[in-house]
Amino acid sequence: MQNQTEKDMLGSGWMIVAALSFTLMNLWVKSASQQFGLGSGELVFWRMSFATLFLGFMAKMQGKSFASPHWKAHLSRSVSGTLGMFCIFHAITHLPLATGVTLGYTSSIFLAVLSFIVLKERVSLYTQLVLALGFIGVVVLLNPSFQSGQEWAAVVGLCGGALAAWAYLKVRELSLLGEPGWRVVFYLSLVGTVLSAGWATITGWHPINLNTLPYLLGIGASALVAQLCLTRAYKVGDKFTVASLSYLTVVFSSLAGVWFLGDKISWQEVLGMGIIVISGILSGMSPLWLRKFKLFR
């Protein structure tokens, strides 16, 4: 029992570090956009290129193989994941930080819907109730954005959540096919680097100078640390505990947006974020686990 507790504690610790790192990344993304006018293509490029170089170098040093017979699944996962990141970064740069980040976390809601549509999985009454709760949260969260004329950014952010869900569906498929996690993340980063470089070339690059460099390095480094810590957390920690703590990114981003960026969040947005977070956590609970604690009958 003691070993299990220590395992859970270690997993929780890694996830908290990951949440803090993701929050720093989100802060640097929004700040770089506001202060220097960097577009989504450039921001995603710096987010992805660090991971590509680091994972590629580490895999080469360890003699790992980059070859995979499942390139179509990798391509689908990588393209959808990159497009989802484009959308979420767009939402982060045009909406209050907390709202943009939360829209990315609607992926758990869309994942359940896609599992039903694509994988033909049975949807229990419990899951239906959780999905309904999640969509109520989305409506409440987006209402202030639609009233303030930010409906396009809100819809794009919501599309980011849906695309991320499709990417997670492909991650599940690749995992069942026996693909190692590092290769999945590497090809996402590689494809993302190429696509974002192409988009940034079309929309225009901003020059790198001493003012922008700290932000760009911060985006890449914090994203890499966050990804490594997240992977470590799921490896050594309790899966439900770690999944629940991942929503700390929403909490940390909300506080950071208010304190450092001067974001103003309405009570409706706070309520919507809370509902989405709760529905995301509940979606990770099985009815059997809930019955054990007499929370669901």
Side-chain angles (χ1 to χ4, degrees), residues 14 18 22 54-55 221-234:
W14 284 114
F22 277 127
F54 178 82
L55 291 173
S222 59
L224 178 59
V225 170
Q227 189 66 54
L228 293 174
C229 291
L230 182 147
T231 303
R232 179 67 177 171
Y234 275 105

Side-chain angles (χ1 to χ4, degrees), residues 78-259:
S78 299
V79 171
S80 59
T82 300
L83 293 178
M85 194 170 297
F86 272 115
C87 293
I88 293 169
F89 275 20
H90 181 86
I92 287 174
T93 56
H94 289 82
L95 297 170
L97 185 62
T99 303
V101 171
T102 306
L103 287 173
Y105 277 84
T106 59
S107 57
S108 60
I109 300 172
F110 287 111
L111 183 58
V113 175
L114 289 173
S115 297
F116 169 70
I117 297 174
V118 178
L119 302 180
K120 309 300 181 182
E121 292 183 353
R122 178 178 173 272
V123 180
S124 65
L125 176 60
Y126 169 78
T127 302
Q128 293 177 39
L129 293 174
V130 171
L131 283 175
L133 179 66
F135 280 113
I136 290 173
V138 170
V139 172
V140 174
L141 175 66
L142 294 185
N143 187 48
S145 297
F146 275 82
Q147 290 180 346
S148 61
Q150 296 177 308
E151 58 273 6
W152 173 247
V155 170
V156 170
L158 199 60
C159 289
L163 286 165
W166 179 262
Y168 294 146
L169 203 67
K170 288 300 175 180
V171 169
R172 182 192 299 180
E173 177 185 333
L174 286 164
S175 178
L176 293 174
L177 291 171
E179 285 292 274
W182 74 266
R183 194 183 291 158
V184 175
V185 178
F186 171 76
Y187 280 118
L188 164 67
S189 304
L190 179 62
V191 171
T193 299
V194 173
L195 290 179
S196 59
W199 182 246
T201 300
I202 294 173
T203 57
W205 292 89
H206 286 77
I208 301 173
N209 52 48
L210 293 178
N211 292 323
T212 59
L213 189 60
Y215 292 86
L216 303 179
L217 293 177
I219 291 170
S222 59
L224 178 59
V225 170
Q227 189 66 54
L228 293 174
C229 291
L230 182 147
T231 303
R232 179 67 177 171
Y234 275 105
K235 181 177 180 180
V236 303
D238 176 75
K239 301 301 183 290
F240 170 70
T241 303
V242 172
S244 299
L245 286 174
S246 69
Y247 285 91
L248 283 174
T249 303
V250 175
V251 178
F252 293 156
S253 296
S254 302
L255 297 174
V258 172
W259 289 344

Side-chain angles (χ1 to χ4, degrees), residues 9-113:
M9 288 292 290
L10 182 59
S12 300
W14 284 114
M15 193 63 246
I16 293 171
V17 176
L20 287 169
S21 299
F22 277 127
T23 300
L24 286 174
M25 181 199 73
N26 294 329
L27 267 175
W28 274 314
V29 164
K30 191 172 181 70
S31 297
S33 174
Q34 288 181 335
Q35 296 186 36
F36 309 110
L38 270 67
S40 297
E42 294 171 286
L43 295 170
V44 173
F45 173 83
W46 288 100
R47 157 70 174 85
M48 294 294 206
S49 57
F50 262 68
T52 303
L53 293 174
F54 178 82
L55 291 173
F57 176 77
M58 292 300 296
K60 189 69 175 177
M61 291 292 293
Q62 296 171 11
K64 294 180 178 179
S65 173
F66 293 91
S68 172
H70 311 296
W71 64 270
K72 288 184 178 179
H74 274 293
L75 186 61
S76 177
R77 182 269 191 272
S78 299
V79 171
S80 59
T82 300
L83 293 178
M85 194 170 297
F86 272 115
C87 293
I88 293 169
F89 275 20
H90 181 86
I92 287 174
T93 56
H94 289 82
L95 297 170
L97 185 62
T99 303
V101 171
T102 306
L103 287 173
Y105 277 84
T106 59
S107 57
S108 60
I109 300 172
F110 287 111
L111 183 58
V113 175

